[in-house]
Amino acid sequence: MSGMKCGGTSPPSDADENIQKLCDAVKSDAEAKAGRKFDVFTAKSYTQQCVCGTNYFIKVHVGGEEHIHIRVHKKLDCHGGEISLSSMQHSKTHQDPVEYF
């Protein structure tokens, strides 16, 4: 998380296996929120923010040219480490920067 300002978000990074696992954990919640099933749900990039736990802002490819941005919160391990979908933005493209929302 180098380059992160206190309370700010990290610079964008390519998604890795750990970020994909976060996406997999909230996929059904994202589908419920969107009112549709996603055949593809692949993490592409992300930024993160340290709060009481970590907020992850993740760009997710959901098929064709369509992307969504999701905010996933992971509680600190000492508070149970639960993962939850906090928010979602629709109608994003591959070129849209992933940032705080």
Side-chain angles (χ1 to χ4, degrees), residues 86-101:
S86 300
S87 190
M88 184 165 64
Q89 295 179 332
H90 302 271
S91 303
K92 295 294 184 175
T93 68
H94 179 69
Q95 290 76 26
D96 290 328
V98 63
E99 50 197 10
Y100 179 91
F101 64 94

Side-chain angles (χ1 to χ4, degrees), residues 33-64:
K33 192 169 221 146
R36 63 180 263 216
K37 295 284 184 189
F38 297 118
D39 293 331
V40 177
F41 204 74
T42 306
K44 302 307 269 182
S45 61
Y46 74 102
T47 185
Q48 60 189 29
Q49 174 192 38
C50 282
V51 288
C52 187
T54 305
N55 284 327
Y56 294 89
F57 303 91
I58 308 170
K59 179 185 300 193
V60 181
H61 178 235
V62 293

